[in-house]
Structures are given as structure tokens and as C-alpha cells.
Amino acid sequence: THVREMPPLEGDSKLRDEAVDVLNEYKTAFELDFKSILTLKRKSKDSYEAMEAYFTAQDKAEEKVNKATRQLRKAQQVYAEKHNMRVVDSKSDDVLEMKMNKIIEVNDYWRSIFLNYFKVSKQYDKLWDALSEQKATPLNHQRNLTLKVIDQVLPELNRKPDFHGDSEFRSQTINIIEYYRQVAEVDFSKIVDVLNQKSMEQKDVEEVNSIINKCNADHERLAYNWNIASQDLFRKNVDKE
């Protein structure tokens, strides 16, 4: 409101009007777009589709804000040249924009890898949920569903390029998904065989417990490596700037 009421300089109101438009874009983004994003974020862990919708909405809102900022900077330059003014810290603005573009680039790459991982991890979690029922048929059904998703995702991940020579995050994601395949294909197949027996002996119980303990230990190690690779992707490609 205060910006809109400012008088034009020498009859030129273009910069003021551009500033009002940009501030309105910011207001819309923060009052509506980012409010919607928070709602999507709360639902994002429900499914792959919900997570994808959350990322897409976040990208669109961020791009709207960035576009408005570029629009205002351009208007400032034009206005300054027209009225023989000098824009202070324009070089700093350029550096900041370069950094923001790099962050967006890293984010886009990370999300493209993460969404594939998330799609598999949802099925893998359901595999463990099915185990709690201790019934062979639903467990075997979920085992096959998990393998089906893994077979869809792994080729796509293997085709993904590295990020300017940095392949660690992609590699660690492939490693943990290949581990999920081993668990579903080998370890849970053994558990299904045990559950299919008419009666379970103590040695069967011990075998299942041994498989579960091994899976938990292996997953903890691989998840740790995956988290470190995820953090390093940003640390090496953003924080160093």
C-alpha cells in the first residue's frame, strides 16, 4: 500500500508499478502457494504421488518468486539507466542469483534421485508391515510387489547421469535399492517358506529372527551411508560456493 502511494519520479511510475506487482506476487506466494505447500508436505509421506505433488508445488512457488525478483531487478536497471542512476551492489545480486541457480540445480537432481528411492522404500516398508501379520500369502504378495517396483526403478537410476562428476548419491541410492531387492528376493523368500510350513519348530523361529536381525543391521549401515551421501551432495556443490 505504501509503495503504491509513492509519487512517480519525473512522471515515470514504471519502477513503482513493477515493485507493486512483484510485492503482490510475493504476497500471493507466501499467503497461498506456500500455505498449500505446507498442506502437501504433511501428506507427502503418504504416497509417491503425494511426495511428487509436494515437490512440484514447491518448485512452482519458488520459480514464481524467483521470476518476480528477476522482473524487479530488470525494472531497476532500466529505470536507473533512464534517469542516469547507478544500481548499488548489482554484482552482489548477480553472485546471489548464480548461487540460487546452483541450489535449484542441486535440488532438482536430488529430488529426481530421491523420488525413485521413495517409491521403492514405501513398498519395502509395506513388506515389513506384512511380516507382522505372520501369514505367508500376503507376505509373498507384497514381496512380489516390492520386486516389481525395484525392477522398474533400478534401470532408471542406472541411466541417471552424475552431478558434474559427483556420482556418490546416485551410487548409494542404487546400493540401498539393490539391498532391498536382495531382502525381498532371498531373505523374505526364506521367511515365506517357513510360514508355509504346517508347524514351526524352534529352529524355524531362530532362522526368522536371525534373518530379521541381519536385515536390520545391514539396513542401518546402508541408510547411514545414504544419508551421508545426500548431505555431501549439497555440502560439496552448494556450501563450497
Side-chain angles (χ1 to χ4, degrees):
T1 303
H2 295 301
V3 175
R4 186 181 289 109
E5 293 171 353
M6 292 177 66
L9 176 64
E10 298 178 4
D12 188 351
S13 64
K14 187 168 179 58
L15 179 59
R16 182 197 66 190
D17 295 342
E18 287 280 8
V20 170
D21 289 343
V22 168
L23 289 172
N24 282 332
E25 283 286 356
Y26 289 165
K27 187 171 183 285
T28 300
F30 286 103
E31 286 185 353
L32 299 177
D33 296 341
F34 285 103
K35 186 176 181 181
S36 298
I37 286 169
L38 288 174
T39 301
L40 288 169
K41 184 178 182 180
R42 286 193 288 268
K43 298 178 180 177
S44 63
K45 293 184 179 180
D46 292 347
S47 68
Y48 169 81
E49 290 76 16
M51 182 65 75
E52 189 174 37
Y54 164 58
F55 283 156
T56 300
Q58 195 174 48
D59 286 341
K60 287 181 178 178
E62 288 172 355
E63 177 53 31
K64 184 183 288 186
V65 170
N66 291 335
K67 183 179 179 181
T69 302
R70 291 193 296 268
Q71 177 185 335
L72 182 58
R73 286 188 60 203
K74 184 178 179 181
Q76 287 175 326
Q77 291 288 352
V78 171
Y79 192 86
E81 290 171 8
K82 182 177 180 179
H83 295 282
N84 297 315
M85 298 176 177
R86 184 170 66 88
V87 179
V88 180
D89 288 338
S90 62
K91 288 185 178 179
S92 297
D93 288 341
D94 290 338
V95 171
L96 179 60
E97 186 170 350
M98 287 174 62
K99 286 185 176 182
M100 288 302 299
N101 288 337
K102 189 60 179 280
I103 290 170
I104 290 170
E105 185 186 11
V106 177
N107 258 331
D108 287 346
Y109 181 81
W110 182 88
R111 288 173 180 175
S112 71
I113 302 291
F114 174 80
L115 278 171
N116 281 288
Y117 163 76
F118 185 76
K119 184 185 289 187
V120 174
S121 70
K122 291 298 292 183
Q123 295 299 323
Y124 184 75
D125 289 344
K126 289 178 182 178
L127 185 62
W128 285 88
D129 290 341
L131 175 61
S132 65
E133 297 179 25
Q134 298 185 21
K135 295 179 181 178
T137 300
L139 182 61
N140 198 47
H141 176 69
Q142 184 56 43
R143 191 177 71 84
N144 288 324
L145 283 178
T146 304
L147 289 169
K148 182 179 179 180
V149 173
I150 289 172
D151 288 341
Q152 292 170 351
V153 165
L154 272 180
E156 186 173 342
L157 277 174
N158 281 311
R159 286 193 298 268
K160 289 277 184 188
D162 54 33
F163 187 79
H164 301 299
D166 187 348
S167 61
E168 184 64 14
F169 181 54
R170 182 196 62 193
S171 297
Q172 289 298 337
T173 303
I174 290 171
N175 285 347
I176 200 166
I177 290 176
E178 286 180 338
Y179 162 75
Y180 289 160
R181 178 160 64 182
Q182 178 206 317
V183 171
E185 196 169 51
V186 179
D187 296 321
F188 270 63
S189 179
K190 293 177 181 177
I191 295 176
V192 168
D193 288 342
V194 170
L195 293 176
N196 268 322
Q197 295 174 184
K198 291 182 178 180
S199 62
M200 289 178 61
E201 299 178 5
Q202 182 59 34
K203 65 180 182 63
D204 299 318
V205 174
E206 291 174 357
E207 180 184 5
V208 170
N209 287 337
S210 176
I211 291 171
I212 291 172
N213 291 335
K214 177 181 178 299
C215 289
N216 287 336
D218 289 343
H219 185 263
E220 185 176 348
R221 173 179 54 82
L222 287 163
Y224 174 82
N225 291 340
W226 184 85
N227 280 312
I228 292 297
S230 176
Q231 294 168 22
D232 282 350
L233 179 69
F234 289 92
R235 182 180 58 80
K236 291 188 288 187
N237 294 287
V238 175
D239 294 350
K240 71 177 183 181
E241 297 294 332

